[in-house]
Amino acid sequence: MNTSSATPFAPVRTARELRALGAGSSGRRAVVMTMGALHEGHATLIRTARERVGADGTVVVTVFVNPLQFGAGEDLDRYPRTLDADLEVALAAGASAVFAPSVDEVYPGGEPQVRITAGPMGERLEGASRPGHFDGMLTVVAKLLHLTAPDLAFFGQKDAQQLALIRRMARDLNFPVEIVGVPTVRETDGLALSSRNRYLSRDERRTALALSGALFAARDRLAAQEALRARAEALPGAQNRGENRAEALSRLGEARAAADAHAVAQAAAEGCGAEAVRAAARAVLDGASKAEPPLVLDYLALVDPADFTEVTDDHDGEAVLAVAARVGATRLIDNVPLLLGATMSTMFGATQ
């Protein structure tokens, strides 16, 4: 393979070369696993890994389009393969090496007969939409963890269910590695960075913005609801009178200007927490379903990050609002972490 003058290292192609990498080094070792077509989201992962291991550490970036995690009719054949550009991105972000093995190197003798099974969590949401996907993903992650032998492995929170399953696998199977989640990187218009974004036409991209728009609307609704609840709970004497939240909000509304009172009444009518979060997101997605081209929703789910089961309407604590949809021929996913039942100071920090 030819590399440009701006790319002074060639990719590592074999497990033997990989084992020789950093031999004798006393620094920590990190891995960032990718399927290539690197963008700023990947670069953020690599920079974060470099910061964690320091100048003396080793950061290995893997580039491997894993056939096991693509189902029938998915985009394995057209998935972008841009290794020359990937090498440049990885180098600029602080990688020590790029491990870009062939399929035969990763799966000698053909598809493996023994695989990692994702279990019940792997059958929900993405797993239900893409049967076998998570089994294939965990199998290759397990193999790459063995091959790269890292102290730390970095994954993006955009693939929240994937991250949760990798963490569970590492814990359940005693992998000696710290799994580090890195926040989602977004483009300036809010669209989560993804290698599949390049498939979108201009009109499709406009429709696709509804995914992040729905998540942001839900997050904003939750923040407004929690602010109202905090104000209601802070009303003088509210606790002593034993008022419930709706009564306190009503009294708060009567003490404010008409516009604020209307907002309070609407908040009380729509409910707080999980119910309001789902409604706010669904309203945006429903609108996008009537756009041209339309957004075709796969799922919208508010789930417990521990097992990706749907949370109840009275849930208090951490949650993930996840969405998947198709725009044209492109399937996109996105999510946002939320904290239900928290005060504003808890959610955003007391100084903000």
Side-chain angles (χ1 to χ4, degrees):
M1 184 195 116
N2 294 324
T3 57
S4 70
S5 58
T7 308
F9 62 78
V12 175
R13 293 292 195 175
T14 69
R16 177 178 296 179
E17 293 175 323
L18 189 62
R19 284 192 295 270
L21 181 68
S25 172
S26 60
R28 292 201 296 173
R29 191 178 181 104
V31 66
V32 175
M33 297 184 192
T34 82
M35 292 204 301
L38 302 189
H39 50 62
E40 180 57 27
H42 298 111
T44 298
L45 291 171
I46 299 166
R47 286 193 294 267
T48 304
R50 172 54 66 194
E51 290 170 4
R52 286 289 303 271
V53 302
D56 295 334
T58 300
V59 177
V60 177
V61 176
T62 69
V63 173
F64 180 66
V65 181
N66 177 34
L68 293 192
Q69 65 194 70
F70 287 80
E74 293 189 335
D75 59 348
L76 174 61
D77 291 338
R78 73 169 185 143
Y79 196 86
R81 291 162 171 83
T82 58
L83 185 57
D84 287 331
D86 294 344
L87 289 167
E88 295 183 12
V89 172
L91 174 65
S96 305
V98 171
F99 180 46
S102 66
V103 173
D104 288 340
E105 182 70 21
V106 177
Y107 301 120
E111 291 191 4
Q113 298 299 302
V114 176
R115 307 187 187 194
I116 302 292
T117 299
M121 195 196 318
E123 298 172 356
R124 300 173 186 135
L125 300 187
E126 284 297 288
S129 298
R130 306 176 66 188
H133 166 71
F134 285 127
D135 291 356
M137 178 276 295
L138 289 178
T139 297
V140 80
V141 168
K143 288 179 72 73
L144 291 172
L145 286 174
H146 285 308
L147 290 169
T148 58
D151 300 294
L152 307 102
F154 294 79
F155 298 90
Q157 291 178 358
K158 183 181 81 71
D159 297 296
Q161 192 174 3
Q162 170 180 283
L163 175 59
L165 281 163
I166 292 170
R167 281 178 166 153
R168 185 62 187 250
M169 179 185 73
R171 182 171 70 249
D172 287 354
L173 301 184
N174 300 104
F175 278 81
V177 61
E178 179 185 348
I179 305 300
V180 182
V182 178
T184 300
V185 178
R186 299 184 179 277
E187 301 196 39
T188 55
D189 56 9
L191 190 67
L193 282 172
S194 169
S195 300
R196 291 184 169 92
N197 289 353
R198 66 185 67 197
Y199 298 155
L200 299 169
S201 69
R202 184 176 62 180
D203 290 341
E204 288 171 344
R205 183 187 176 89
R206 185 176 61 249
T207 296
L209 292 175
L211 273 76
S212 56
L215 299 178
F216 297 161
R219 183 185 61 190
D220 292 347
R221 173 68 62 81
L222 178 63
Q225 294 280 8
E226 297 297 348
L228 289 170
R229 181 169 74 170
R231 285 163 54 193
E233 290 173 348
L235 283 173
Q239 300 296 328
N240 293 337
R241 281 194 298 273
E243 288 180 321
N244 63 30
R245 187 182 61 82
E247 291 169 343
L249 285 174
S250 177
R251 189 158 66 88
L252 177 63
E254 293 169 359
R256 304 280 297 187
D260 193 29
H262 175 73
V264 170
Q266 183 178 8
E270 292 175 351
C272 191
E275 180 183 355
V277 163
R278 294 187 185 98
R282 196 173 295 114
V284 175
L285 296 170
D286 287 348
S289 70
K290 302 177 179 65
E292 184 56 44
L295 180 144
V296 180
L297 184 65
D298 188 346
Y299 62 76
L300 172 71
L302 184 64
V303 298
D304 186 326
D307 58 11
F308 273 68
T309 56
E310 194 81 25
V311 303
T312 59
D313 288 343
D314 60 352
H315 177 79
D316 280 350
E318 294 182 353
V320 172
L321 183 63
V323 61
R326 287 189 179 275
V327 181
T330 303
R331 186 176 185 276
L332 300 170
I333 63 172
D334 201 352
N335 71 84
V336 65
L338 299 173
L339 188 58
L340 278 64
T343 64
M344 291 294 286
S345 62
T346 302
M347 293 172 64
F348 300 111
T351 61
Q352 294 185 1

